[in-house]
Amino acid sequence: MNPLNHVAIIMDGNGRWGLKNKNSRNAGHKAGLITVEKIIKATLKNNIRYLTLYAFSTENWKRPKKEINFLFNLLENFLTNRIDELHKQNIKLQIIGVKNFSSKLNSLLRLAEKKTYKNGKLQINLALNYGSKFELMSAFKILKKKKEKISEKNLRKYLQTKDIPDPDILIRTGNTKRLSNFLLWQLAYSEIFFERKLWPEFNEKDYNKIIKKFKNIKRNYGNI
Ligand code: FPP
C-alpha cells in the first residue's frame, strides 16, 4: 500500500454550483467553504501530513471585483473565526503565493502563519494569489542572481513549497481536466483524480474513495 503524505486539491465548481442552486456564484463559494472544513476533518482522520488547497490563482484577478471581494471577505471571516480551533487541533497554516491583498487580510494571514508555525499534525498550504509559472520563473531568477548551478536540488530551494514533499495525489473537482497553473513542477509524479462533482457537492465519502484507490495504485516513477 502506498504511503500518503500530501494531498493537493483544485476546488473547482463553486460558481456553477451556486448559480444552479442559489442563483448566485458567491453562494457557491460560501458552500465551498463548508466542503473545505469537511475535507480538513477527513484529512486529520486519515492522518495525512500535508493538504494543499488552491483557493485563488494569479489568473483569478480577472474575475468581477464583487466576486473577488466576496472571496476575500469569506477568507477573512474564516481566519478570524477558525484560527484558534485550527491551532488547538495542532494544524499549521502556510500560505503559498504572493501576499498582496488588503493590509487587513495580509496581516490576518501573517498572524495565522505565525500562530500555527510550530504545529505538526497537519500542514495546510493555502494557495492564494498563486501561479506555478510565476513561482518557477522567480526561482530561476534567484538562481541566476546568486550564480548558483541550475539543478533540481537548487531550484527546489527557491520554490514556495521548498520544505514540503511533492503531492502524492491531486484531486480536481468540477468535471474539468486541466492543471490551471497549479504546482506544475511538484505534480510531476502525482496520481491525478478528476472528479465530476462540483466542489460544494464533494464529500468525505468521495475523498475516502480516492484515498483507497490511490493506496492500491502501483507507482512506477518511470520504472517498470
Ligand atoms: C473555483 O470555483 C473556486 C475558487 C476560485 C475559490 C475557492 C474558494 C473556496 C473553496 C472557498 C473559500 C476558501 C477558503 C479557504 C476561505 P469556480 O468559481 O471557478 O467555479 P466555476 O468553475 O463553477 O466557475
Side-chain angles (χ1 to χ4, degrees):
M1 282 233 279
N2 295 315
L4 176 53
N5 287 312
H6 186 174
V7 177
I9 308 182
I10 301 176
M11 310 179 287
D12 194 18
N14 287 349
R16 277 167 285 162
W17 185 92
L19 279 179
K20 196 172 104 193
N21 293 287
K22 311 257 178 193
N23 205 22
S24 137
R25 288 184 54 85
N26 287 345
H29 294 310
K30 204 170 152 197
L33 185 56
I34 297 171
T35 305
V36 168
E37 306 224 17
K38 283 186 199 156
I39 294 307
I40 292 175
K41 271 193 200 135
T43 307
L44 285 168
K45 270 201 220 164
N46 279 289
N47 284 314
I48 298 165
R49 188 64 187 75
Y50 299 92
L51 175 67
T52 301
L53 300 172
Y54 204 9
F56 196 84
S57 74
T58 44
E59 288 72 32
N60 285 149
W61 292 107
K62 294 176 196 155
R63 295 190 177 202
K65 219 166 174 254
K66 241 175 114 181
E67 181 168 335
I68 296 176
N69 287 340
F70 185 87
L71 270 169
F72 291 162
N73 267 327
L74 208 59
L75 181 58
E76 280 181 14
N77 289 336
F78 175 75
L79 291 169
T80 310
N81 299 323
R82 288 284 198 258
I83 198 63
D84 285 339
E85 211 176 306
L86 295 183
H87 183 49
K88 264 192 218 141
Q89 294 177 93
N90 199 9
I91 295 174
K92 172 175 175 173
L93 188 74
Q94 186 172 308
I95 307 307
I96 59 168
V98 182
K99 289 188 206 79
N100 65 348
F101 311 105
S102 68
S103 51
K104 184 179 174 197
L105 183 52
N106 283 341
S107 71
L108 275 171
L109 291 168
R110 284 206 191 93
L111 223 71
E113 285 186 312
K114 204 170 152 197
K115 188 179 180 106
T116 61
Y117 182 71
K118 288 191 178 148
N119 293 343
K121 167 85 179 147
L122 166 66
Q123 176 169 332
I124 299 175
N125 308 302
L126 199 56
L128 280 175
N129 191 22
Y130 172 85
S132 189
K133 286 189 179 178
F134 178 81
E135 178 190 35
L136 283 165
M137 290 308 293
S138 308
F140 278 116
K141 281 179 194 164
I142 299 171
L143 281 179
K144 191 175 170 198
K145 200 170 159 198
K146 295 195 169 202
K147 297 196 169 78
E148 287 185 31
K149 190 178 146 219
I150 295 185
S151 67
E152 286 194 21
K153 196 171 159 228
N154 282 345
L155 184 86
R156 227 168 233 289
K157 289 193 295 188
Y158 303 116
L159 295 179
Q160 309 235 346
T161 53
K162 62 177 157 56
D163 300 318
I164 306 164
D166 288 343
D168 299 296
I169 294 180
L170 170 74
I171 301 170
R172 180 177 188 136
T173 59
N175 203 19
T176 306
K177 297 186 175 79
R178 55 175 170 250
L179 295 180
S180 301
N181 202 13
F182 187 48
L183 303 175
L184 300 178
W185 175 278
Q186 297 87 337
L187 292 174
Y189 276 103
S190 309
E191 303 297 333
I192 302 183
F193 295 83
F194 293 110
E195 262 284 331
R196 277 175 182 237
K197 280 191 181 177
L198 305 172
W199 178 247
E201 297 163 339
F202 188 70
N203 60 36
E204 183 173 356
K205 211 169 141 195
D206 304 316
Y207 190 46
N208 286 336
K209 236 192 238 171
I210 289 174
I211 291 171
K212 199 169 161 201
K213 247 193 219 164
F214 163 81
K215 290 205 167 160
N216 292 306
I217 288 174
K218 188 166 177 274
R219 300 185 85 190
N220 289 337
Y221 299 98
N223 205 333
I224 49 168

Short mmCIF file of all heavy atoms in Angstrom, two decimals, residues 10-19 25 28-36 40 53-57 60 63 67 70-79 93 124 126 128 172-174 176 178 198-200, ligand 1:
data_model
loop_
_atom_site.label_atom_id
_atom_site.label_comp_id
_atom_site.label_asym_id
_atom_site.label_seq_id
_atom_site.Cartn_x
_atom_site.Cartn_y
_atom_site.Cartn_z
N ILE A 10 -7.61 21.06 -6.38
CA ILE A 10 -8.15 22.21 -7.12
C ILE A 10 -9.66 22.18 -6.88
O ILE A 10 -10.36 21.29 -7.38
CB ILE A 10 -7.82 22.12 -8.63
CG1 ILE A 10 -6.30 22.07 -8.85
CG2 ILE A 10 -8.44 23.29 -9.38
CD1 ILE A 10 -5.86 21.88 -10.31
N MET A 11 -10.11 23.13 -6.09
CA MET A 11 -11.52 23.11 -5.62
C MET A 11 -12.40 23.82 -6.64
O MET A 11 -12.81 24.95 -6.46
CB MET A 11 -11.59 23.82 -4.26
CG MET A 11 -10.56 23.33 -3.25
SD MET A 11 -10.65 24.20 -1.66
CE MET A 11 -9.99 25.80 -2.05
N ASP A 12 -12.70 23.14 -7.74
CA ASP A 12 -13.39 23.82 -8.84
C ASP A 12 -14.89 23.51 -8.82
O ASP A 12 -15.31 22.41 -8.45
CB ASP A 12 -12.77 23.35 -10.16
CG ASP A 12 -13.19 24.25 -11.31
OD1 ASP A 12 -13.64 25.38 -11.06
OD2 ASP A 12 -13.06 23.82 -12.48
N GLY A 13 -15.66 24.50 -9.24
CA GLY A 13 -17.09 24.27 -9.43
C GLY A 13 -18.00 25.04 -8.49
O GLY A 13 -19.22 24.89 -8.54
N ASN A 14 -17.42 25.89 -7.64
CA ASN A 14 -18.25 26.68 -6.73
C ASN A 14 -19.25 27.55 -7.48
O ASN A 14 -20.44 27.60 -7.14
CB ASN A 14 -17.38 27.64 -5.91
CG ASN A 14 -16.58 26.94 -4.84
OD1 ASN A 14 -16.81 25.78 -4.57
ND2 ASN A 14 -15.65 27.66 -4.25
N GLY A 15 -18.74 28.25 -8.49
CA GLY A 15 -19.58 29.20 -9.22
C GLY A 15 -20.77 28.50 -9.86
O GLY A 15 -21.92 28.93 -9.73
N ARG A 16 -20.49 27.38 -10.55
CA ARG A 16 -21.57 26.64 -11.23
C ARG A 16 -22.58 26.12 -10.22
O ARG A 16 -23.78 26.18 -10.43
CB ARG A 16 -20.98 25.48 -12.05
CG ARG A 16 -20.48 25.90 -13.41
CD ARG A 16 -19.65 24.83 -14.04
NE ARG A 16 -18.33 24.76 -13.42
CZ ARG A 16 -17.51 23.72 -13.52
NH1 ARG A 16 -17.88 22.64 -14.19
NH2 ARG A 16 -16.33 23.75 -12.94
N TRP A 17 -22.09 25.60 -9.10
CA TRP A 17 -22.99 25.07 -8.07
C TRP A 17 -23.90 26.19 -7.54
O TRP A 17 -25.11 26.02 -7.39
CB TRP A 17 -22.20 24.44 -6.93
CG TRP A 17 -23.07 23.77 -5.91
CD1 TRP A 17 -23.45 22.47 -5.90
CD2 TRP A 17 -23.71 24.39 -4.77
NE1 TRP A 17 -24.27 22.22 -4.83
CE2 TRP A 17 -24.44 23.38 -4.12
CE3 TRP A 17 -23.71 25.69 -4.24
CZ2 TRP A 17 -25.18 23.63 -2.96
CZ3 TRP A 17 -24.46 25.94 -3.09
CH2 TRP A 17 -25.18 24.91 -2.47
N GLY A 18 -23.29 27.34 -7.29
CA GLY A 18 -24.03 28.48 -6.74
C GLY A 18 -25.11 28.96 -7.69
O GLY A 18 -26.25 29.20 -7.30
N LEU A 19 -24.74 29.06 -8.98
CA LEU A 19 -25.71 29.54 -9.97
C LEU A 19 -26.88 28.57 -10.11
O LEU A 19 -28.04 28.98 -10.16
CB LEU A 19 -25.03 29.71 -11.34
CG LEU A 19 -24.24 31.00 -11.54
CD1 LEU A 19 -23.61 31.02 -12.93
CD2 LEU A 19 -25.10 32.25 -11.34
N ARG A 25 -23.25 33.00 -7.79
CA ARG A 25 -21.92 32.37 -7.75
C ARG A 25 -21.35 32.44 -6.33
O ARG A 25 -20.74 31.51 -5.84
CB ARG A 25 -20.96 33.09 -8.72
CG ARG A 25 -21.25 32.81 -10.19
CD ARG A 25 -20.20 33.49 -11.08
NE ARG A 25 -18.86 33.10 -10.69
CZ ARG A 25 -18.25 31.99 -11.12
NH1 ARG A 25 -18.86 31.19 -11.96
NH2 ARG A 25 -17.03 31.71 -10.73
N GLY A 28 -22.12 29.84 -4.01
CA GLY A 28 -21.31 28.65 -4.27
C GLY A 28 -20.00 28.69 -3.49
O GLY A 28 -19.54 27.67 -2.97
N HIS A 29 -19.38 29.86 -3.41
CA HIS A 29 -18.13 29.97 -2.65
C HIS A 29 -18.39 29.72 -1.16
O HIS A 29 -17.59 29.07 -0.48
CB HIS A 29 -17.50 31.35 -2.85
CG HIS A 29 -17.03 31.57 -4.26
ND1 HIS A 29 -16.23 30.65 -4.92
CD2 HIS A 29 -17.26 32.57 -5.14
CE1 HIS A 29 -15.99 31.10 -6.15
NE2 HIS A 29 -16.61 32.25 -6.31
N LYS A 30 -19.54 30.23 -0.68
CA LYS A 30 -19.90 30.03 0.72
C LYS A 30 -20.06 28.53 0.99
O LYS A 30 -19.55 27.99 1.98
CB LYS A 30 -21.20 30.77 1.01
CG LYS A 30 -21.39 31.13 2.45
CD LYS A 30 -22.55 32.07 2.63
CE LYS A 30 -23.14 31.88 4.01
NZ LYS A 30 -24.47 32.44 4.12
N ALA A 31 -20.74 27.85 0.09
CA ALA A 31 -20.94 26.40 0.25
C ALA A 31 -19.58 25.68 0.11
O ALA A 31 -19.33 24.67 0.79
CB ALA A 31 -21.92 25.89 -0.80
N GLY A 32 -18.71 26.23 -0.73
CA GLY A 32 -17.39 25.63 -0.93
C GLY A 32 -16.57 25.64 0.36
O GLY A 32 -15.80 24.72 0.63
N LEU A 33 -16.75 26.66 1.14
CA LEU A 33 -16.02 26.76 2.41
C LEU A 33 -16.45 25.65 3.38
O LEU A 33 -15.63 25.12 4.14
CB LEU A 33 -16.23 28.15 3.03
CG LEU A 33 -15.43 28.44 4.29
CD1 LEU A 33 -13.94 28.24 4.05
CD2 LEU A 33 -15.67 29.87 4.76
N ILE A 34 -17.72 25.28 3.31
CA ILE A 34 -18.21 24.18 4.18
C ILE A 34 -17.51 22.88 3.78
O ILE A 34 -17.08 22.10 4.63
CB ILE A 34 -19.75 24.06 4.09
CG1 ILE A 34 -20.38 25.35 4.62
CG2 ILE A 34 -20.26 22.84 4.87
CD1 ILE A 34 -21.87 25.47 4.40
N THR A 35 -17.35 22.69 2.45
CA THR A 35 -16.62 21.49 1.98
C THR A 35 -15.16 21.54 2.45
O THR A 35 -14.60 20.52 2.85
CB THR A 35 -16.69 21.38 0.45
OG1 THR A 35 -18.05 21.41 0.05
CG2 THR A 35 -16.05 20.10 -0.05
N VAL A 36 -14.56 22.74 2.44
CA VAL A 36 -13.16 22.87 2.92
C VAL A 36 -13.09 22.33 4.35
O VAL A 36 -12.21 21.53 4.69
CB VAL A 36 -12.69 24.35 2.87
CG1 VAL A 36 -11.38 24.53 3.62
CG2 VAL A 36 -12.53 24.80 1.42
N ILE A 40 -10.90 19.12 5.62
CA ILE A 40 -9.84 19.25 6.64
C ILE A 40 -10.05 18.17 7.70
O ILE A 40 -9.11 17.46 8.09
CB ILE A 40 -9.85 20.66 7.29
CG1 ILE A 40 -9.43 21.71 6.26
CG2 ILE A 40 -8.92 20.71 8.51
CD1 ILE A 40 -9.52 23.15 6.74
N LEU A 53 -4.47 23.48 -0.77
CA LEU A 53 -5.76 23.89 -1.36
C LEU A 53 -5.57 25.10 -2.26
O LEU A 53 -5.02 26.13 -1.82
CB LEU A 53 -6.75 24.23 -0.24
CG LEU A 53 -7.08 23.10 0.75
CD1 LEU A 53 -7.93 23.67 1.91
CD2 LEU A 53 -7.81 21.96 0.06
N TYR A 54 -6.05 24.99 -3.50
CA TYR A 54 -5.92 26.11 -4.45
C TYR A 54 -7.14 27.00 -4.26
O TYR A 54 -8.24 26.68 -4.72
CB TYR A 54 -5.92 25.52 -5.86
CG TYR A 54 -5.26 26.35 -6.94
CD1 TYR A 54 -4.53 27.50 -6.65
CD2 TYR A 54 -5.33 25.94 -8.27
CE1 TYR A 54 -3.90 28.22 -7.66
CE2 TYR A 54 -4.70 26.67 -9.29
CZ TYR A 54 -4.00 27.80 -8.98
OH TYR A 54 -3.38 28.51 -9.98
N ALA A 55 -6.95 28.11 -3.55
CA ALA A 55 -8.10 28.96 -3.23
C ALA A 55 -8.21 30.18 -4.14
O ALA A 55 -9.31 30.69 -4.36
CB ALA A 55 -8.01 29.41 -1.77
N PHE A 56 -7.06 30.66 -4.67
CA PHE A 56 -7.11 31.85 -5.53
C PHE A 56 -5.85 31.89 -6.39
O PHE A 56 -4.73 31.93 -5.88
CB PHE A 56 -7.21 33.12 -4.68
CG PHE A 56 -7.64 34.33 -5.45
CD1 PHE A 56 -8.98 34.59 -5.67
CD2 PHE A 56 -6.70 35.22 -5.95
CE1 PHE A 56 -9.38 35.71 -6.41
CE2 PHE A 56 -7.09 36.34 -6.68
CZ PHE A 56 -8.44 36.59 -6.90
N SER A 57 -6.04 31.87 -7.71
CA SER A 57 -4.88 31.82 -8.60
C SER A 57 -4.50 33.23 -9.07
O SER A 57 -5.29 34.18 -8.93
CB SER A 57 -5.20 30.96 -9.82
OG SER A 57 -6.07 31.66 -10.69
N ASN A 60 -7.13 34.50 -11.22
CA ASN A 60 -8.47 34.80 -10.68
C ASN A 60 -8.73 36.30 -10.50
O ASN A 60 -9.87 36.72 -10.30
CB ASN A 60 -8.71 34.07 -9.34
CG ASN A 60 -8.96 32.59 -9.50
OD1 ASN A 60 -8.63 31.78 -8.63
ND2 ASN A 60 -9.57 32.19 -10.62
N ARG A 63 -11.55 38.11 -12.45
CA ARG A 63 -12.99 38.00 -12.10
C ARG A 63 -13.56 39.35 -11.68
O ARG A 63 -12.80 40.24 -11.27
CB ARG A 63 -13.15 37.00 -10.96
CG ARG A 63 -12.76 35.62 -11.39
CD ARG A 63 -13.13 34.58 -10.38
NE ARG A 63 -12.77 33.29 -10.95
CZ ARG A 63 -13.28 32.14 -10.60
NH1 ARG A 63 -14.19 32.09 -9.65
NH2 ARG A 63 -12.91 31.02 -11.17
N GLU A 67 -17.01 39.60 -6.87
CA GLU A 67 -16.75 38.20 -6.52
C GLU A 67 -15.42 38.08 -5.76
O GLU A 67 -15.31 37.34 -4.77
CB GLU A 67 -16.73 37.32 -7.79
CG GLU A 67 -16.49 35.86 -7.46
CD GLU A 67 -16.76 34.90 -8.63
OE1 GLU A 67 -17.56 35.24 -9.52
OE2 GLU A 67 -16.16 33.80 -8.62
N PHE A 70 -15.91 39.23 -2.27
CA PHE A 70 -16.67 38.24 -1.50
C PHE A 70 -15.74 37.12 -1.02
O PHE A 70 -15.77 36.72 0.14
CB PHE A 70 -17.82 37.67 -2.34
CG PHE A 70 -18.70 36.74 -1.56
CD1 PHE A 70 -19.79 37.23 -0.84
CD2 PHE A 70 -18.43 35.38 -1.51
CE1 PHE A 70 -20.59 36.37 -0.09
CE2 PHE A 70 -19.23 34.52 -0.77
CZ PHE A 70 -20.31 35.01 -0.06
N LEU A 71 -14.89 36.65 -1.94
CA LEU A 71 -13.96 35.55 -1.59
C LEU A 71 -13.01 35.98 -0.46
O LEU A 71 -12.77 35.23 0.48
CB LEU A 71 -13.13 35.18 -2.82
CG LEU A 71 -13.71 34.11 -3.72
CD1 LEU A 71 -12.94 34.02 -5.02
CD2 LEU A 71 -13.68 32.74 -3.01
N PHE A 72 -12.48 37.20 -0.57
CA PHE A 72 -11.54 37.65 0.44
C PHE A 72 -12.23 37.89 1.79
O PHE A 72 -11.65 37.65 2.84
CB PHE A 72 -10.78 38.90 -0.02
CG PHE A 72 -9.82 38.60 -1.16
CD1 PHE A 72 -9.33 39.61 -1.96
CD2 PHE A 72 -9.42 37.30 -1.43
CE1 PHE A 72 -8.46 39.33 -3.01
CE2 PHE A 72 -8.56 37.00 -2.48
CZ PHE A 72 -8.07 38.02 -3.26
N ASN A 73 -13.49 38.35 1.74
CA ASN A 73 -14.24 38.51 2.99
C ASN A 73 -14.47 37.17 3.66
O ASN A 73 -14.34 37.04 4.88
CB ASN A 73 -15.63 39.12 2.70
CG ASN A 73 -15.58 40.62 2.84
OD1 ASN A 73 -14.83 41.12 3.66
ND2 ASN A 73 -16.36 41.32 2.03
N LEU A 74 -14.78 36.19 2.83
CA LEU A 74 -15.00 34.83 3.33
C LEU A 74 -13.73 34.33 4.03
O LEU A 74 -13.77 33.76 5.12
CB LEU A 74 -15.31 33.93 2.12
CG LEU A 74 -16.17 32.70 2.30
CD1 LEU A 74 -17.53 33.07 2.85
CD2 LEU A 74 -16.36 31.99 0.94
N LEU A 75 -12.62 34.59 3.39
CA LEU A 75 -11.33 34.15 3.93
C LEU A 75 -11.01 34.90 5.24
O LEU A 75 -10.56 34.29 6.22
CB LEU A 75 -10.24 34.39 2.88
CG LEU A 75 -8.83 33.97 3.24
CD1 LEU A 75 -8.75 32.49 3.59
CD2 LEU A 75 -7.87 34.27 2.09
N GLU A 76 -11.29 36.21 5.25
CA GLU A 76 -11.05 36.99 6.48
C GLU A 76 -11.87 36.43 7.63
O GLU A 76 -11.35 36.24 8.74
CB GLU A 76 -11.44 38.47 6.25
CG GLU A 76 -10.38 39.25 5.52
CD GLU A 76 -10.77 40.72 5.33
OE1 GLU A 76 -11.73 41.19 6.00
OE2 GLU A 76 -10.14 41.38 4.52
N ASN A 77 -13.14 36.15 7.36
CA ASN A 77 -14.00 35.60 8.42
C ASN A 77 -13.52 34.24 8.87
O ASN A 77 -13.52 33.93 10.05
CB ASN A 77 -15.46 35.48 7.95
CG ASN A 77 -16.09 36.84 7.82
OD1 ASN A 77 -15.65 37.80 8.47
ND2 ASN A 77 -17.10 36.97 6.97
N PHE A 78 -13.11 33.44 7.90
CA PHE A 78 -12.61 32.10 8.22
C PHE A 78 -11.40 32.21 9.14
O PHE A 78 -11.31 31.52 10.17
CB PHE A 78 -12.24 31.38 6.92
CG PHE A 78 -11.60 30.03 7.12
CD1 PHE A 78 -12.37 28.94 7.48
CD2 PHE A 78 -10.23 29.85 6.94
CE1 PHE A 78 -11.78 27.68 7.66
CE2 PHE A 78 -9.64 28.61 7.11
CZ PHE A 78 -10.42 27.52 7.48
N LEU A 79 -10.49 33.11 8.81
CA LEU A 79 -9.27 33.23 9.62
C LEU A 79 -9.61 33.77 11.01
O LEU A 79 -9.11 33.27 12.02
CB LEU A 79 -8.26 34.17 8.94
CG LEU A 79 -7.64 33.63 7.65
CD1 LEU A 79 -6.89 34.73 6.91
CD2 LEU A 79 -6.70 32.46 7.95
N LEU A 93 -0.84 26.49 9.38
CA LEU A 93 -1.33 27.11 8.14
C LEU A 93 -0.18 27.84 7.46
O LEU A 93 0.51 28.65 8.09
CB LEU A 93 -2.46 28.09 8.47
CG LEU A 93 -3.17 28.64 7.24
CD1 LEU A 93 -4.07 27.57 6.62
CD2 LEU A 93 -4.02 29.84 7.61
N ILE A 124 -1.63 22.80 6.42
CA ILE A 124 -2.49 23.21 5.30
C ILE A 124 -1.77 24.32 4.54
O ILE A 124 -1.45 25.36 5.10
CB ILE A 124 -3.86 23.70 5.79
CG1 ILE A 124 -4.59 22.60 6.55
CG2 ILE A 124 -4.70 24.21 4.62
CD1 ILE A 124 -5.90 23.05 7.17
N LEU A 126 -2.32 26.96 1.91
CA LEU A 126 -3.40 27.63 1.20
C LEU A 126 -2.77 28.41 0.05
O LEU A 126 -1.99 29.34 0.29
CB LEU A 126 -4.12 28.55 2.19
CG LEU A 126 -5.51 29.02 1.82
CD1 LEU A 126 -6.44 27.84 1.55
CD2 LEU A 126 -6.08 29.89 2.93
N LEU A 128 -2.81 31.06 -2.48
CA LEU A 128 -3.54 32.32 -2.64
C LEU A 128 -2.71 33.25 -3.51
O LEU A 128 -1.53 33.47 -3.20
CB LEU A 128 -3.70 32.99 -1.28
CG LEU A 128 -4.80 32.49 -0.35
CD1 LEU A 128 -4.69 33.21 0.99
CD2 LEU A 128 -6.18 32.73 -0.94
N ARG A 172 -8.99 17.19 -8.68
CA ARG A 172 -9.67 18.37 -9.23
C ARG A 172 -11.15 18.04 -9.34
O ARG A 172 -11.52 17.10 -10.06
CB ARG A 172 -9.12 18.77 -10.58
CG ARG A 172 -9.87 20.01 -11.10
CD ARG A 172 -9.37 20.55 -12.41
NE ARG A 172 -10.05 21.82 -12.65
CZ ARG A 172 -9.50 22.93 -13.10
NH1 ARG A 172 -8.23 22.96 -13.36
NH2 ARG A 172 -10.22 24.02 -13.27
N THR A 173 -11.97 18.78 -8.66
CA THR A 173 -13.41 18.60 -8.79
C THR A 173 -13.90 19.45 -9.96
O THR A 173 -13.13 20.18 -10.58
CB THR A 173 -14.14 19.03 -7.49
OG1 THR A 173 -13.82 20.41 -7.25
CG2 THR A 173 -13.73 18.17 -6.31
N GLY A 174 -15.19 19.34 -10.26
CA GLY A 174 -15.80 20.27 -11.22
C GLY A 174 -15.81 19.80 -12.66
O GLY A 174 -16.09 20.59 -13.56
N THR A 176 -13.62 19.15 -14.93
CA THR A 176 -12.73 19.79 -15.90
C THR A 176 -11.36 19.16 -15.75
O THR A 176 -10.88 18.99 -14.64
CB THR A 176 -12.63 21.30 -15.62
OG1 THR A 176 -13.93 21.84 -15.57
CG2 THR A 176 -11.83 22.01 -16.69
N ARG A 178 -7.89 19.90 -16.31
CA ARG A 178 -6.69 20.71 -16.57
C ARG A 178 -6.02 21.07 -15.26
O ARG A 178 -6.59 20.90 -14.18
CB ARG A 178 -7.04 21.96 -17.39
CG ARG A 178 -8.10 22.82 -16.80
CD ARG A 178 -8.30 24.13 -17.61
NE ARG A 178 -9.49 24.81 -17.15
CZ ARG A 178 -10.62 24.93 -17.86
NH1 ARG A 178 -10.73 24.41 -19.07
NH2 ARG A 178 -11.65 25.56 -17.35
N LEU A 198 -19.11 18.92 -8.43
CA LEU A 198 -18.66 20.29 -8.16
C LEU A 198 -18.17 20.35 -6.71
O LEU A 198 -18.62 19.55 -5.88
CB LEU A 198 -19.83 21.27 -8.38
CG LEU A 198 -20.49 21.16 -9.77
CD1 LEU A 198 -21.75 22.02 -9.84
CD2 LEU A 198 -19.51 21.57 -10.87
N TRP A 199 -17.25 21.28 -6.40
CA TRP A 199 -16.62 21.28 -5.07
C TRP A 199 -17.64 21.28 -3.91
O TRP A 199 -17.48 20.50 -2.96
CB TRP A 199 -15.63 22.46 -4.97
CG TRP A 199 -14.99 22.55 -3.62
CD1 TRP A 199 -15.14 23.54 -2.70
CD2 TRP A 199 -14.07 21.59 -3.03
NE1 TRP A 199 -14.39 23.27 -1.57
CE2 TRP A 199 -13.73 22.08 -1.76
CE3 TRP A 199 -13.52 20.37 -3.44
CZ2 TRP A 199 -12.84 21.41 -0.89
CZ3 TRP A 199 -12.65 19.69 -2.59
CH2 TRP A 199 -12.33 20.21 -1.33
N PRO A 200 -18.71 22.07 -3.95
CA PRO A 200 -19.64 22.04 -2.81
C PRO A 200 -20.35 20.69 -2.64
O PRO A 200 -20.89 20.42 -1.56
CB PRO A 200 -20.66 23.15 -3.14
CG PRO A 200 -19.92 24.07 -4.05
CD PRO A 200 -19.05 23.16 -4.88
C1 FPP B 1 -13.15 27.63 -8.10
O1 FPP B 1 -14.50 27.52 -8.46
C2 FPP B 1 -13.03 28.12 -6.74
C3 FPP B 1 -12.40 29.27 -6.39
C4 FPP B 1 -11.75 30.18 -7.34
C5 FPP B 1 -12.36 29.68 -4.98
C6 FPP B 1 -12.17 28.60 -3.98
C7 FPP B 1 -12.72 29.06 -2.69
C8 FPP B 1 -13.36 28.29 -1.77
C9 FPP B 1 -13.48 26.83 -1.87
C10 FPP B 1 -13.98 28.89 -0.57
C11 FPP B 1 -13.11 29.75 0.21
C12 FPP B 1 -11.99 29.01 0.78
C13 FPP B 1 -11.34 29.46 1.86
C14 FPP B 1 -10.20 28.65 2.39
C15 FPP B 1 -11.73 30.68 2.56
P1 FPP B 1 -15.06 28.46 -9.63
O2 FPP B 1 -15.58 29.69 -9.01
O3 FPP B 1 -14.01 28.64 -10.66
O4 FPP B 1 -16.22 27.57 -10.16
P2 FPP B 1 -16.78 27.51 -11.66
O5 FPP B 1 -15.75 26.75 -12.46
O6 FPP B 1 -18.04 26.73 -11.50
O7 FPP B 1 -16.98 28.91 -12.12
#
